Amino acid sequence: TATQLDFCNIQKMATAAGLKNGQTNKPYDVSKISNLIGSVQVAPIDMATAYATFASGGVRCQPIALTSITDSTGKGYPVPGANCQRTMTQEVAAGVTHALHYMLTNGSGYAIPLNDKDTAFAKTGTTDWNVQTWTVGANSGIATAAWFGSYQGNGAQWHNQNITINGVYYPNIDGNQLAGSNWAAVMNAAAGSYARKPLTAPPAKMLSKTAPLIAGTNNPMAGSGVPVQQHNTGKTQQQPKAPGRKDTPAKHKKG
């Protein structure tokens, strides 16, 4: 799917959602193809922030630990603000929630015991050898990230396969199991504290089928002049120029 999109735009949207590298606290880097499916550490709070951005229709708020501070005399003190700002369009956010609602009701999230799936969306995740497992999701009132795995490494001693937990044997543990049930338990417990709105439908054009990718013809970089690698021949062809575009040598002013 990513080959049919502009990687720069994928990076922009990941950053707009609030995804950060869990070790450096810098924006999550998707310049490597493996990073698209999650090969870099990310903090659960940042995943919850990203899903809250989608749930709010594209408005991202920084997570804050305190909503108010009052001393014994009743005096109030200022607390950091959430710095809420729109970082993506409502249409893009609706496209994400639409796709992830389907995952929750028809995909790997089908077995997750969430009481109200009509207004929610989520995504499960499982790494090689079932070491790290996730379920992250939200509705219009709350976003939650649940994780079950190893914080010490990915070695054989941390593989979550052929393992017994609380008397239950698991051939392997996937994201929709322990992480999924944990996520659902929190969402169900909080359901009475937040008003839940129906999910916003994305524009019809987002749901229409896209044409197959033809390198150099209808790919996102067409008209840019950037070479396209032809995988079947090993040859490189030049992107066709955009209609009406004329390439001229760059000119530089002196002084």
Side-chain angles (χ1 to χ4, degrees), residues 6-91:
D6 186 327
F7 262 47
C8 292
N9 284 337
I10 296 176
Q11 180 68 71
K12 290 176 183 177
M13 296 312 301
T15 303
L19 288 185
K20 293 182 290 186
N21 184 306
Q23 291 182 314
T24 66
N25 217 33
K26 294 181 179 180
Y28 186 97
D29 180 13
V30 300
S31 62
K32 292 183 178 180
I33 190 69
S34 60
N35 289 4
L36 288 173
I37 58 174
S39 59
V40 175
Q41 294 88 337
V42 177
I45 188 66
D46 289 330
M47 291 300 297
T49 297
Y51 276 60
T53 302
F54 303 138
S56 66
V59 176
R60 188 188 72 212
C61 299
Q62 296 176 357
I64 55 176
L66 303 172
T67 57
S68 64
I69 300 176
T70 306
D71 66 16
S72 59
T73 66
K75 179 181 179 181
Y77 295 87
V79 296
N83 189 30
C84 296
Q85 54 185 306
R86 177 166 296 283
T87 58
M88 65 183 67
T89 66
Q90 292 181 326
E91 291 78 10

Side-chain angles (χ1 to χ4, degrees), residues 1 7 32 45 93 119 127 134 155 188 204-205 213 220 222 233 241 244 249:
T1 302
F7 262 47
K32 292 183 178 180
I45 188 66
T119 62
T127 66
W134 293 76
N188 291 338
K205 64 181 181 180
L213 173 68
T233 62
K241 297 177 182 179

Side-chain angles (χ1 to χ4, degrees), residues 55-199:
S56 66
V59 176
R60 188 188 72 212
C61 299
Q62 296 176 357
I64 55 176
L66 303 172
T67 57
S68 64
I69 300 176
T70 306
D71 66 16
S72 59
T73 66
K75 179 181 179 181
Y77 295 87
V79 296
N83 189 30
C84 296
Q85 54 185 306
R86 177 166 296 283
T87 58
M88 65 183 67
T89 66
Q90 292 181 326
E91 291 78 10
V92 168
V96 174
T97 60
H98 175 82
L100 297 187
H101 172 70
Y102 184 87
M103 194 293 309
L104 183 59
T105 57
N106 294 272
S108 60
Y110 179 81
I112 294 178
L114 181 68
N115 293 337
D116 178 16
K117 291 188 175 182
D118 291 337
T119 62
F121 61 97
K123 181 70 183 75
T124 64
T126 308
T127 66
D128 292 345
W129 304 105
N130 309 83
V131 176
Q132 316 293 355
T133 67
W134 293 76
T135 290
V136 188
N139 55 36
S140 62
I142 182 174
T144 302
W147 163 80
F148 175 86
S150 166
Y151 67 92
Q152 301 181 75
N154 298 314
Q157 64 270 45
W158 295 295
H159 292 177
N160 287 310
Q161 297 178 338
N162 299 314
I163 188 173
T164 299
I165 299 177
N166 291 336
V168 179
Y169 170 75
Y170 295 90
N172 49 66
I173 296 177
D174 292 325
N176 66 347
Q177 293 176 310
L178 297 181
S181 59
N182 183 19
W183 175 79
V186 173
M187 296 289 287
N188 291 338
S193 301
Y194 302 91
R196 301 183 301 283
K197 300 177 182 179
L199 295 174

